[in-house]
Amino acid sequence: MLSKTKIISLLFAVLFTLPSLADDSKGLRPKLIVGIAVDQMRWDYLYRFYNEYTTGGFRRMLSEGYSFEDCQINYIPSVTAVGHTSVYTGSVPSIHGIAGNNFLIDGKFVYCTEDTTVQTVGSKTRAGEMSPRNMLATTIGDELKTATNWKSKVIGISFKDRASILPAGHSADAAYWFDKKEMCFITSTYYMSSLPSWVEAYNKEIGSAVKKLKPIDTGTRKFTNTADIIQYSPYGNLIVEEMTKHAIAGEKLGQRGETDMICISFSCTDIAGHAFGTHSEIVHNMYIELDKQLADLFNYLDQTIGKGEYVAFLTADHGAANGILQNQKHKIPSDGFFINRETEEVNKFLASKYAGRKELVEGIMDYKVVIDRKAAAGLDFNTLKADIMEYFTKRPLVSHVVDLDNISAASVPSYIREKIYNGYSRGRSGDIQLILKPAVYGVRGEIGEGTTHGCWNPYDCHIPFVLMGWGVPHGSCPTEVHITDIAPTVCNLVHIQMPSGCIGMPRAME
């Protein structure tokens, strides 16, 4: 029988051993997590240009990694801010609160990451008055930092502010985006008071390089402005790739004995897609060059972090519709929903019905009708809403009209109804959801060669989800998964908790 002294000694030994066991994460996680989002990348771009890709970029991910071939966005609107947030939170607008690129807070339209309480760091413009404060849930990076007692570093990098800020999360060490006026990467005082020396050094390199850029002539447009030359050419994505390598070197990411994370978003694919469409040569060329840039990045990671010592995942924030003019040329039903004109027409209809009341509809935001509460003061709100719904029900390009306060009563397919539920953030979204006919999308000017996104359809919602590296087997899965499954799958792989608003589930790779 053990003596009282020996029992106490054993208890102390166990107690002093437990913390070391809890903190011992060796072998549980890779050195670095690399999140890659390609803005407006349809899933089929993995294969449309496959034969032109190198073996080191997209094809390497497919040949070495694991691809979920049917990854779908399970909410509307399918737009940039929502997509980047949903990828990294595993959640949807009804929970994480990022209801669009722009949405309502306290009845006023706001930009998703605007924050007038912070200032720009790195330039003299106001482009840095940004933060993740409007986002209500945590991200993969937030959970990684929590799991390592905030020893991990998490950094977001993109050409667009929202595409670097929202993925990186609330507790990120930094998010950097490109100031097109000053031609440099900037951040905000939310993260720091001055730029690190490595960022300042790289900004000087960019300043010298942009002076050598030549105008772009696409045949239909000519770009001579430096900012346009950057964003409509592969150079815009190149400076993001180079910034990523500078961040890894400057912050010693994945080389400090802790698991770090870098969230990268390539935005210029989206900018070019909006301007020129899904089948334009400029978009085609941008993907061929992006493939080379990814190959260069993976080679750098192999040399710096070690092959098999990092895990990378590739996805997109949304896809894009094929262009209206292209569809019509090939006898595919397609048309433009002229948002400004539709807003004017519904307000004319309401003015005639409500004794000259003007602009009762404040606007149409991501195919959601927003009623102006001040203009509607004194009116029966439900009757007004019903009149607006009746008006849009009769519009030829609208297939369904849904009261966002009574989604369950809508006579829409359950698949679409779920996307409406998930995309509706009370107080931040509008009042009435418009579901357009297939291949119909919003147009603000004239119908041109470009395209857009934001609807429920597969062309907007079928995105890539491919993982490669540490802990990832080679293979593919044809079963439908969702954008909200990305975060829990990554978190499960690296043994950390799912983000606070996560509704997705970890997907097995076998």
Side-chain angles (χ1 to χ4, degrees):
M1 187 172 182
L2 292 174
S3 68
K4 184 176 180 181
T5 303
K6 286 185 177 181
I7 291 172
I8 292 172
S9 297
L10 284 171
L11 284 172
F12 271 98
V14 170
L15 288 171
F16 281 106
T17 302
L18 285 175
S20 64
L21 289 171
D23 291 340
D24 183 11
S25 60
K26 185 178 181 181
L28 292 179
R29 302 186 185 107
K31 293 180 179 178
L32 182 65
I33 304 169
V34 183
I36 304 169
V38 182
D39 206 321
Q40 203 183 116
M41 184 175 181
R42 294 161 51 116
W43 165 83
D44 61 334
Y45 287 171
L46 282 173
Y47 301 102
R48 187 187 298 178
F49 313 128
Y50 184 87
N51 291 334
E52 297 177 72
Y53 290 149
T54 67
T55 57
F58 291 118
R59 287 174 66 173
R60 175 178 172 183
M61 293 202 79
L62 292 171
S63 63
E64 293 184 11
Y66 196 93
S67 178
F68 291 93
E69 293 289 281
D70 189 18
C71 185
Q72 298 283 342
I73 292 173
N74 54 346
Y75 55 78
I76 44 178
S78 46
V79 296
T80 297
V82 185
H84 282 85
T85 306
S86 297
V87 165
Y88 286 89
T89 63
S91 193
V92 291
S94 64
I95 296 172
H96 63 54
I98 301 300
N101 293 333
N102 299 278
F103 47 84
L104 298 164
I105 291 183
D106 297 328
K108 296 180 180 180
F109 284 101
V110 300
Y111 178 64
C112 56
T113 53
E114 74 173 63
D115 186 349
T116 55
T117 69
V118 299
Q119 291 79 48
T120 304
V121 175
S123 81
K124 296 179 181 179
T125 73
R126 298 185 63 185
E129 294 180 0
M130 305 284 172
S131 84
R133 286 190 172 120
N134 291 331
M135 181 170 63
L136 306 178
T138 61
T139 62
I140 300 171
D142 289 325
E143 297 301 330
L144 175 65
K145 290 181 76 73
T146 302
T148 62
N149 290 319
W150 292 274
K151 295 175 184 176
S152 295
K153 286 186 178 181
V154 177
I155 293 176
I157 295 172
S158 181
F159 196 80
K160 293 181 180 179
D161 45 38
R162 58 188 181 272
S164 65
I165 294 168
L166 298 170
H170 298 279
S171 60
D173 296 271
Y176 301 104
W177 56 96
F178 198 71
D179 186 332
K180 293 188 287 185
K181 290 185 178 179
E182 297 285 340
M183 295 294 136
C184 61
F185 278 97
I186 61 171
T187 188
S188 82
T189 52
Y190 178 88
Y191 305 99
M192 62 191 73
S193 58
S194 61
L195 291 177
S197 58
W198 64 264
V199 179
E200 293 182 336
Y202 181 53
N203 278 337
K204 290 179 181 178
E205 291 181 29
I206 295 173
S208 300
V210 296
K211 295 176 182 178
K212 302 175 184 178
L213 294 176
K214 297 180 181 180
I216 299 173
D217 191 344
T218 68
T220 57
R221 301 191 202 182
K222 188 172 183 179
F223 298 107
T224 56
N225 177 274
T226 303
D228 286 339
I229 295 170
I230 292 172
Q231 64 188 5
Y232 290 115
S233 75
Y235 186 73
N237 288 332
L238 176 63
I239 61 174
V240 170
E241 187 232 331
E242 290 295 325
M243 179 68 170
T244 300
K245 293 193 293 186
H246 279 72
I248 292 169
E251 300 293 340
K252 301 295 181 185
L253 299 182
Q255 305 160 70
R256 305 177 307 105
E258 293 291 342
T259 299
D260 296 320
M261 183 172 191
I262 190 159
C263 312
I264 318 156
S265 180
F266 294 100
S267 304
C268 296
T269 44
D270 177 75
I271 297 168
H274 277 291
F276 300 104
T278 59
H279 283 69
S280 67
E281 188 56 35
I282 195 166
V283 169
H284 173 194
N285 182 57
M286 195 169 281
Y287 274 92
I288 300 306
E289 293 303 314
L290 177 58
D291 173 68
K292 297 174 185 176
Q293 292 156 5
L294 287 175
D296 180 69
L297 176 60
F298 293 149
N299 182 62
Y300 176 82
L301 290 168
D302 289 345
Q303 300 300 316
T304 306
I305 310 300
K307 188 174 182 180
E309 297 291 338
Y310 63 91
V311 62
F313 66 89
L314 170 80
T315 189
D317 51 352
H318 54 75
N322 289 322
I324 294 168
L325 298 180
Q326 173 189 304
N327 284 336
Q328 292 176 345
K329 180 181 178 181
H330 296 283
K331 302 179 182 179
I332 296 173
S334 189
D335 212 337
F337 184 79
F338 293 89
I339 295 173
N340 293 339
R341 186 188 307 169
E342 292 290 340
T343 304
E344 291 173 5
E345 291 300 318
V346 70
N347 276 323
K348 287 180 183 178
F349 164 76
L350 294 172
S352 67
K353 193 173 182 68
Y354 289 93
R357 292 274 187 129
K358 295 182 179 180
E359 298 181 355
L360 288 167
V361 169
E362 190 170 358
I364 299 174
M365 173 184 66
D366 295 325
Y367 309 107
K368 293 179 176 69
V369 179
V370 180
I371 299 172
D372 189 323
R373 283 350 190 233
K374 291 182 179 179
L379 299 178
D380 184 282
F381 189 79
N382 289 329
T383 301
L384 172 61
K385 186 191 292 185
D387 287 337
I388 296 171
M389 291 179 66
E390 181 182 0
Y391 172 85
F392 280 110
T393 299
K394 296 176 181 178
R395 302 303 291 162
L397 299 179
V398 177
S399 62
H400 297 88
V401 181
V402 179
D403 181 349
L404 287 172
D405 285 326
N406 194 15
I407 300 171
S408 60
S411 57
V412 296
S414 58
Y415 183 75
I416 298 176
R417 183 184 292 111
E418 181 181 0
K419 291 193 176 192
I420 297 172
Y421 270 123
N422 288 342
Y424 176 55
S425 180
R426 186 175 298 277
R428 293 191 172 195
S429 300
D431 302 291
I432 299 166
Q433 177 74 59
L434 304 179
I435 302 296
L436 306 181
K437 293 181 177 179
V440 174
Y441 56 75
V443 177
R444 292 198 178 273
E446 296 299 318
I447 296 175
E449 60 183 330
T451 188
T452 192
H453 48 85
C455 298
W456 67 269
N457 311 72
Y459 44 74
D460 282 353
C461 293
H462 189 185
I463 57 173
F465 175 29
V466 190
L467 302 100
M468 179 186 77
W470 187 92
V472 178
H474 173 55
S476 65
C477 174
T479 305
E480 180 178 332
V481 302
H482 300 133
I483 190 172
T484 48
D485 296 330
I486 295 173
T489 298
V490 173
C491 289
N492 187 61
L493 179 67
V494 302
H495 304 101
I496 61 175
Q497 184 57 277
M498 300 175 191
S500 61
C502 184
I503 66 166
M505 59 185 292
R507 296 293 179 167
M509 293 177 280
E510 50 188 28

